[in-house]
Amino acid sequence: MRYMMMHKLDENLPGVFNPPPEFVTRMEGFMKEVAQAGILVAAEGLCPTVTDATRITVSGGKTTVTDGPFTETKELIAGFALVDVRSHEEAVEWGRRFVDVFTATFGAVEVDIRRVYESPEPGQQA
């Protein structure tokens, strides 16, 4: 089962997009551990919304396109890790460890862990 772990940060906090070397070292160590466990599918950090970010909103049949930065939004998805694990519980355990990487530097973080929808194989029921 694949799960996406998405971390949210307030992009207005100092150092969020230029973290100290200690954070980079902790994140590299965590990613190495996830890769060695054989569960890492992909992981990336996202650029701040001042850099090539666009939000498309449709409401009441009207489409609005807004270029970043999105100063009205306190917390945005700042990166993700996609893992392939045996259970939801395993995804949550890795998610707790993912959170630990951030809290040592930023004090607080929010991580959503969501199962990735997978279409059934032909001939199987959903």
Side-chain angles (χ1 to χ4, degrees):
M1 292 178 271
R2 292 179 302 154
Y3 282 85
M4 171 97 42
M5 300 185 295
M6 298 166 282
H7 68 87
K8 301 175 188 176
L9 293 171
D10 181 346
E11 72 176 352
N12 297 311
L13 290 175
V16 168
F17 291 100
N18 188 20
E22 299 82 21
F23 173 82
V24 174
T25 299
R26 277 193 299 279
M27 183 58 77
E28 287 173 348
F30 175 76
M31 287 299 157
K32 183 177 179 182
E33 198 176 342
V34 175
Q36 287 176 338
I39 63 168
L40 183 63
V41 177
E44 299 291 341
L46 302 176
C47 293
T49 62
V50 71
T51 309
D52 294 330
T54 300
R55 178 175 290 153
I56 301 172
T57 306
V58 178
S59 179
K62 181 182 176 200
T63 302
T64 304
V65 178
T66 307
D67 290 328
F70 307 129
T71 55
E72 72 282 357
T73 304
K74 178 124 173 103
E75 291 190 343
L76 295 167
I77 296 171
F80 70 92
L82 182 63
V83 295
D84 192 351
V85 294
R86 294 179 298 270
S87 67
H88 177 77
E89 293 75 22
E90 185 179 0
V92 170
E93 181 54 37
W94 282 105
R96 288 179 187 270
R97 296 169 73 186
F98 192 49
V99 163
D100 290 343
V101 174
F102 293 92
T103 56
T105 300
F106 300 109
V109 69
E110 183 176 309
V111 172
D112 288 352
I113 300 171
R114 307 260 314 269
R115 187 169 176 186
V116 175
Y117 178 79
E118 299 181 63
S119 298
E121 295 292 323
Q124 292 182 344
Q125 292 201 349

